[in-house]
Amino acid sequence: MSGGSTVGCVARSLAARGELTVVTNGLDTAAFLMARQLVQVVVTGGTAREMDFHMNGR
């Protein structure tokens, strides 16, 4: 999952299901999901971009 408002809506829906592992490059998405105890969050590596809070890298 990336970041953004549409993905945020999907993340909220998925968080309600619980016991998930979500891989994202969106720091905002990761922060939201990390607050949910039943969701494991994996954030991709890279450099954080200020303009959209996404990780970008090689």
Side-chain angles (χ1 to χ4, degrees):
M1 300 181 78
S2 63
S5 61
T6 301
V7 172
C9 289
V10 173
R12 283 189 288 282
S13 176
L14 289 175
R17 295 180 181 212
E19 298 202 24
L20 295 174
T21 299
V22 175
V23 179
T24 182
N25 70 330
L27 296 176
D28 51 350
T29 301
F32 172 79
L33 291 171
M34 286 171 38
R36 305 308 184 262
Q37 294 179 1
L38 298 177
V39 178
Q40 180 179 2
V41 180
V42 178
V43 179
T44 60
T47 303
R49 294 178 359 176
E50 290 181 30
M51 66 183 211
D52 58 12
F53 296 101
H54 293 171
M55 300 296 286
N56 188 8
R58 296 166 212 216

